[in-house]
């Protein structure tokens, strides 16, 4: 798996601060990749000093044998 793009933008609500992240990943499409993508929004992802509040697979695009996937991730700082 390769990270094709990554960016983040600071984010805040009345009670939380954090960031919105966008990741574009590319990998060979396999049943294991499909299972990982399906499970990803419900996984508990450890991130030092932050919590993954929301994670969504926003788009998928086939490029030959590879699959390019866009992820949207909202993190908040731990209190």
């Amino acid at each position: 798996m390769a990270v094709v793009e990554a960016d983040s933008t600071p984010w805040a609500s009345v009670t939380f601060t954090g960031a919105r992240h966008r990741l574009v990943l590319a990998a060979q499409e396999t049943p294991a990749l499909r299972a990982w993508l399906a499970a990803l929004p419900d996984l508990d992802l450890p991130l030092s000093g932050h919590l993954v509040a929301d994670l969504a697979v926003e788009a998928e695009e086939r490029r030959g044998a590879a699959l390019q996937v866009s992820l949207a991730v909202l993190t908040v700082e731990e209190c």
Side-chain angles (χ1 to χ4, degrees):
M1 182 174 296
V3 177
V4 177
E5 285 181 50
D7 62 42
S8 64
T9 305
W11 171 89
S13 70
V14 174
T15 54
F16 299 105
T17 59
R20 291 190 180 276
H21 309 273
R22 182 174 169 273
L23 298 170
V24 179
L25 308 174
Q28 183 174 352
E29 186 173 11
T30 64
L33 176 65
R34 283 279 173 205
W36 181 74
L37 289 171
L40 192 56
D42 296 322
L43 293 177
D44 182 20
L45 301 171
L47 186 61
S48 182
H50 294 80
L51 299 171
V52 176
D54 189 41
L55 188 150
V57 177
E58 288 197 320
E60 296 180 7
E61 182 181 337
R62 275 198 175 97
R63 296 196 172 189
L67 186 64
Q68 187 165 301
V69 179
S70 295
L71 303 177
V73 185
L74 174 64
T75 59
V76 295
E77 294 177 6
E78 283 185 319
C79 299

